[in-house]
């Protein structure tokens, strides 16, 4: 509240999502200012790098071989939480000691994700962070100044990364800061365009799909970032942010919750050909729910990747090129030109997705009971069930569409 006062009329209180921001009894008319934070109070990569410890950390490595931008912010967060004299200690100490994002779950809960894309994503995310810790932390501890001693073991850095991923906003909200990625998005560090900023108080606003929000950027390094209501809010109601159109996999990965019957659900299909050292990766493609306005169920890039397999086969056999390998072709319309789709591509994709659907069909009945919480399931168990039900539904709709195409 100290960060936002007196520029907010909101109050902080328990909500079904932990803590939330609530409108006053008189309500809030559309267009009203909800809260406003000075950009000088935000935590950013640039400011973390300019602190004495940030400069010391960068000086410990040869030029171009130091920690990525995001890692410096994580160091600042971990050290600030442990140091009462740090400028942002009060804010950092108020953050959850046990983050809710799926990569931070204990092993007993991570087992709920076994066999899913999210399980693989959590493992890859954790491995990337551990690699950064192993690469950079020993050199910082070796400086011998004791200033980085609070980071020993890496626990504080792991906590910082989890809180950062679930609370970051676009760095573009402050003029001159690197980054224009989506607010509160996931993704690993190292690429400055994806680096975000931390906004105290504003990070308490929970997500509601379709919530109408309006952000006002800070036009200078000491300007204010403001958040206005784009719709009326009745007295005592919770005020929501909108994290964007995110699938349950993305929501669990960064925030630890899922939405039942999420229209933004997607199944990430990783395709490759060959095996071992000869394997060639074609890419990762998001297959989305059908029937959602403005959403492409199958991305054109997927059809192009599948078509390339048959084009290579024809070249080897001395055939005349063509996406369909000589079979009948249809068209996928819209976007950057139509894409010719042959029977072979449809049959291959149908066989692949049918196999991926099998484990979700096997647990479908149990998952549907679990997501409704009919047997006293924990919040986490119900969220995983929502995720599994969504994955199954996306695949089920995709299989139906492909069968209709044949």
């Amino acid at each position: 509240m100290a960060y936002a006062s007196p520029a907010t009329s909101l109050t902080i209180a328990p909500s079904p999502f932990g803590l939330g921001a609530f409108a006053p009894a008189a309500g809030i008319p559309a267009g009203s200012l909800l809260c406003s934070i000075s950009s000088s109070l935000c935590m950013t990569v640039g400011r973390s790098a300019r602190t004495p410890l940030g400069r010391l950390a960068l000086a410990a490595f040869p030029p171009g071989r130091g920690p990525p931008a995001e890692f410096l912010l994580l160091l600042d967060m971990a050290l600030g939480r442990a140091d009462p004299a740090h400028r942002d200690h009060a804010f950092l100490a108020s953050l959850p000691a046990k983050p809710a994002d799926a990569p931070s779950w204990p092993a007993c809960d991570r087992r709920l994700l076994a066999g899913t894309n999210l399980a693989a994503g959590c493992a890859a995310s954790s491995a990337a962070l551990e690699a950064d810790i192993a690469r950079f932390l020993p050199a910082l501890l070796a400086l011998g100044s004791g200033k980085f001693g609070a980071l020993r073991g890496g626990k504080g850095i792991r906590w910082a990364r989890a809180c950062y991923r679930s609370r970051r906003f676009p760095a573009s909200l402050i003029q001159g800061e690197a980054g224009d990625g989506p607010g509160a998005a996931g993704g690993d560090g190292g690429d400055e365009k994806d680096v975000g900023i931390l906004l105290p108080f504003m990070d308490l606003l929970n997500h509601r799909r379709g919530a109408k929000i309006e952000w006002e950027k800070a036009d200078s390094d000491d300007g204010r970032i403001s958040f206005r209501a784009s719709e009326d809010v009745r007295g005592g109601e919770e005020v929501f942010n909108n994290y964007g159109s995110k699938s349950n996999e993305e929501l669990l990965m960064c925030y630890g919750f899922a939405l039942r019957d999420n229209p933004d659900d997607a199944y990430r299909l990783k395709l490759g050909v060959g095996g071992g050292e000869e394997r060639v990766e074609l890419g990762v493609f998001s297959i989305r729910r059908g029937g959602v306005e403005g959403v492409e169920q199958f991305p054109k890039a997927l059809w192009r990747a599948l078509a390339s397999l048959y084009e290579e086969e024809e070249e080897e056999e001395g055939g005349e090129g063509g996406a369909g390998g000589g079979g009948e072709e249809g068209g996928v319309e819209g976007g950057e030109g139509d894409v010719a789709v042959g029977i072979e591509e449809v049959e291959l994709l149908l066989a692949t997705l049918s196999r991926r659907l099998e484990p979700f069909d096997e647990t479908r009945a149990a998952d549907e009971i679990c997501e409704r919480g009919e047997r006293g399931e924990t919040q986490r168990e119900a969220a995983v069930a929502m995720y599994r039900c969504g994955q199954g539904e996306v695949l089920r709709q995709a299989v139906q569409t492909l069968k209709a195409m044949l």
Side-chain angles (χ1 to χ4, degrees), residues 38-335:
S38 170
S39 59
S40 64
L41 297 177
C42 303
M43 293 194 73
T44 73
V45 165
R47 287 171 190 151
S48 293
R50 290 191 294 269
T51 64
L53 288 182
R55 290 194 293 267
L56 185 61
L58 287 173
F61 301 91
R65 297 177 62 184
E70 181 184 280
F71 198 77
L72 290 175
L73 179 55
L74 302 186
L75 296 179
D76 196 16
M77 291 176 65
L79 292 170
R81 183 177 176 85
D83 180 9
H86 190 281
R87 188 197 78 158
D88 296 299
H89 174 74
F91 165 57
L92 295 168
S94 75
L95 301 182
K98 295 182 178 180
D101 65 307
S104 299
W105 291 359
C108 59
D109 288 334
R110 287 272 289 269
R111 281 196 290 270
L112 297 171
L113 304 172
T116 66
N117 287 335
L118 182 54
C122 288
S125 175
S126 297
L129 179 61
E130 294 305 316
D132 276 349
I133 291 174
R135 180 181 176 188
F136 300 115
L137 186 55
L140 299 177
L141 295 175
L143 293 176
S145 65
K147 294 180 178 179
F148 294 100
L151 303 177
R152 195 175 302 277
K155 182 178 179 180
I157 300 174
R158 296 182 191 97
W159 166 86
R161 205 277 289 270
C163 286
Y164 165 76
R165 287 171 67 107
S166 66
R167 293 170 179 270
R168 71 179 191 173
F169 289 80
S172 57
L173 286 173
I174 302 178
Q175 184 174 339
E177 285 292 331
D180 55 5
D188 292 307
D191 186 350
E192 291 204 16
K193 72 180 181 181
D194 291 328
V195 172
I197 60 175
L198 296 180
L199 298 180
F201 183 85
M202 288 186 179
D203 63 359
L204 285 169
L205 300 177
N206 292 310
H207 170 66
R208 190 190 74 201
R209 185 181 185 275
K212 297 178 181 179
I213 60 173
E214 180 183 340
W215 290 97
E216 294 178 359
K217 299 181 180 181
D219 57 5
S220 65
D221 203 39
D222 59 354
R224 300 190 73 85
I225 301 171
S226 301
F227 177 58
R228 292 184 180 275
S230 295
E231 57 188 354
D232 293 337
V233 183
R234 290 198 294 263
E237 282 192 346
E238 183 169 1
V239 177
F240 289 96
N241 192 356
N242 186 342
Y243 298 173
S245 300
K246 297 191 180 299
S247 67
N248 276 343
E249 185 165 317
E250 294 173 291
L251 293 174
L252 281 168
M253 187 72 177
C254 290
Y255 315 107
F257 71 86
L259 302 176
R260 192 172 176 186
D261 295 324
N262 186 353
D264 299 314
D265 254 335
Y267 181 87
R268 290 186 304 111
L269 178 65
K270 184 177 181 180
L271 282 184
V273 292
E277 295 181 356
E278 296 182 356
R279 182 174 176 81
V280 176
E281 299 295 343
L282 298 177
V284 180
F285 308 93
S286 290
I287 297 171
R288 300 195 172 273
R289 284 201 181 211
V292 180
E293 185 177 355
V295 174
E296 197 175 51
Q297 188 175 14
F298 301 101
K300 294 182 180 63
L302 171 58
W303 293 119
R304 293 190 185 102
L306 292 170
S308 69
L309 298 177
Y310 294 99
E311 288 171 356
E312 291 175 5
E313 287 181 6
E314 287 191 353
E315 288 174 4
E316 291 175 1
E317 295 171 2
E320 299 264 338
E328 296 181 19
E329 296 181 357
V332 177
E333 300 180 356

